[in-house]
């Protein structure tokens, strides 16, 4: 067992034994590291583990406290298998006609953020001037690059703003990265399960794949390294924080190892970090890019989950692939809307982006607990539910699920969820599905969960 999990288990035992009572304050991260003679990253991972399980919670500028006793859930079991190169023969694009709250991974903007965004648009419009008559720069406006650089530097992620490329979302950033460092027919390493949009993109681009099994700490890096040694993969694409769909966050040790593997074998790794800033903890995890010494990680992100998907705005830090990345990007993108770039830059510079992130993380943590509690009341016994440390999705596993019967029932009741078979080319997740927890647990959402619970009971 990892050291941070051992420490977390010790705290859990003390809470269950009554030695630590509800509402009592935990040691600060620095105190924990000093008391236990561990690194700060181990201390952070320990508290993230406890927070993800509902044992503790953070209070802004106040530290960590013991939470009210949470209901415990068994977590999904990760299928282990031998990774092989395979083709993407089917389409993984999703065309659900129902558009229900449990389907797409999304959440809502609060009223305060909406008001401040309106002010940012008004201020930036006044500064736009004659530039309104010009096309935007294909690599992105310097004001947005500067704002992002300053913002991430406060999180310990130092970026030269001139190295950033602004894109029309995270998926276009990933697509340009693939074009910059791979060719048709190349095999790309991905996690298993993997976001369906990535699978669909790789299939349409004519890339083969190597699915790497998930484990509690992230992915099976030993199998990834074996493929790197053999030269069977030309690149990798990995969501490293609050993965979609499984909810895992790679440990700091895993992220560092991933960066070391990329640099040692000189193989590019595309890091999909769209969920990075949605940690339930007040401490944003560092990306694998932080440990990248020679530029072999292409770091991609966007505001689609952290602010709004409607703006279609993202970025990439291409590292050593900057020249080829910019060439590929310019060939398919003629620039992102300048008014949107300037407004988002203003929103970040004003400090309102960081403030709304804090509110969003607090809200998502509350939603996660509400959904977990309601699911535990309504779902039949034996259903395993993930315990994510951030993001807005849950991964559920129903042992002995009759997939054909279950599919028919959710279609009959028009329930919009994402079945496990959408996240792999292998028949490994037919007893799994993903739900979104980003919206308020309204009576309509509860009714949909009730229908989902009935469908599970009638499919086992």
């Amino acid at each position: 067992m990892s050291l941070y999990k051992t420490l977390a288990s010790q705290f859990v035992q003390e809470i269950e034994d009554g030695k630590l009572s509800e509402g009592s304050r935990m040691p600060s991260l620095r105190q924990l590291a000093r008391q236990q003679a561990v690194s700060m990253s181990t201390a952070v991972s320990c508290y993230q583990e406890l927070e993800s399980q509902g044992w503790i919670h953070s209070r802004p500028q106040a530290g960590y406290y013991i939470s009210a006793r949470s209901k415990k859930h068994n977590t999904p079991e990760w299928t282990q298998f031998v990774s092989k190169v395979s083709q993407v023969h089917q389409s993984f694009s999703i065309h659900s006609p129902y558009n229900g709250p449990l389907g797409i991974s999304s959440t809502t903007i609060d009223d305060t953020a909406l008001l401040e965004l309106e002010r940012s648009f008004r201020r930036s419009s006044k500064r736009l001037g004659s530039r309104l008559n010009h096309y935007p720069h294909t690599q992105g406006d310097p004001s947005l690059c500067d704002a992002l650089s300053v913002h991430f530097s406060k999180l310990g992620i130092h970026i030269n703003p001139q190295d950033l490329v602004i894109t029309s979302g995270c998926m276009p950033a990933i697509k340009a990265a693939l074009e910059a460092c791979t060719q048709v027919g190349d095999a790309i390493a991905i996690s298993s399960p993997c976001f369906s949009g990535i699978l669909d993109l790789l299939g349409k681009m004519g890339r083969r794949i190597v699915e790497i099994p998930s484990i509690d700490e992230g992915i099976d890096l030993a199998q990834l390294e074996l493929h790197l040694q053999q030269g069977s993969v030309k690149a990798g694409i990995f969501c490293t924080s609050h993965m979609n769909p499984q909810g895992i966050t790679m440990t700091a040790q895993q992220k560092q190892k991933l960066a070391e593997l990329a640099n040692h074998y000189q193989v590019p790794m595309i890091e999909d970090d769209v969920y990075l800033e949605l940690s339930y903890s007040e401490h944003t995890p560092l990306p694998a890019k932080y440990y990248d010494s020679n530029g072999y990680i292409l770091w991609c992100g966007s505001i689609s989950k952290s602010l709004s998907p409607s703006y279609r705005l993202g970025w990439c830090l291409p590292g050593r692939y900057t020249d080829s990345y910019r060439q590929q990007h310019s060939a398919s993108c003629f620039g992102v809307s300048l008014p949107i770039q300037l407004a988002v830059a203003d929103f970040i510079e004003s400090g309102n982006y960081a403030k709304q992130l804090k509110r969003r993380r607090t809200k998502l943590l509350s939603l996660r607990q509400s959904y977990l509690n309601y699911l535990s009341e309504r779902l039949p016994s034996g259903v395993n539910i993930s315990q994510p440390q951030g993001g807005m999705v849950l991964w559920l596993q129903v042992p002995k699920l009759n997939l054909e019967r279950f599919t028919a029932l959710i279609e009959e009741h028009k329930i919009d969820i994402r079945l496990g078979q959408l996240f792999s080319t292998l028949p490994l997740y037919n007893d799994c599905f993903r739900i979104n927890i980003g919206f308020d647990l309204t009576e309509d959402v509860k009714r949909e969960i009730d229908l989902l619970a009935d469908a599970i009971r009638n499919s086992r």
Side-chain angles (χ1 to χ4, degrees), residues 155-215:
L155 305 178
I157 308 166
H158 299 287
I159 298 171
N160 184 338
Q162 296 179 351
D163 293 336
L164 279 170
V165 178
I166 303 302
T167 66
S168 55
C170 194
M171 289 301 290
I174 292 172
K175 182 176 183 294
L178 281 166
E179 291 170 333
C181 60
T182 69
Q183 299 178 348
V184 173
D186 284 349
I188 313 299
I190 60 173
S191 63
S192 183
C194 176
F195 172 49
S196 57
I198 297 292
L199 285 170
D200 198 55
L201 176 65
L202 291 169
K204 290 176 178 177
M205 294 182 68
R207 270 57 168 181
R208 297 178 298 160
I209 63 168
V210 176
E211 295 193 35
I212 305 297
S214 292
I215 58 175

Side-chain angles (χ1 to χ4, degrees), residues 93-128:
S93 58
I94 298 171
H95 303 287
S96 174
Y98 311 128
N99 194 30
L102 302 179
I104 190 170
S105 173
S106 187
T107 188
T108 53
I109 303 179
D110 62 52
D111 292 339
T112 302
L114 281 173
L115 179 62
E116 294 299 339
L117 274 168
E118 290 175 4
R119 292 171 177 167
S120 287
F121 269 98
R122 286 197 294 270
R123 287 193 295 265
S124 61
S125 293
K126 292 179 181 179
R127 293 199 297 266
L128 189 57

Side-chain angles (χ1 to χ4, degrees), residues 371-387:
Y371 272 81
L372 285 175
N373 288 338
Y374 194 79
L375 287 165
S376 67
E377 294 172 1
R378 293 298 193 269
L379 294 180
S381 61
V383 177
N384 302 325
I385 310 175
S386 64
Q387 298 281 344

Side-chain angles (χ1 to χ4, degrees), residues 233-249:
V233 298
K234 300 301 181 183
I237 302 178
F238 297 105
C239 181
T240 58
S241 295
H242 321 309
M243 301 179 192
N244 179 3
Q246 62 271 57
I248 296 171
T249 294

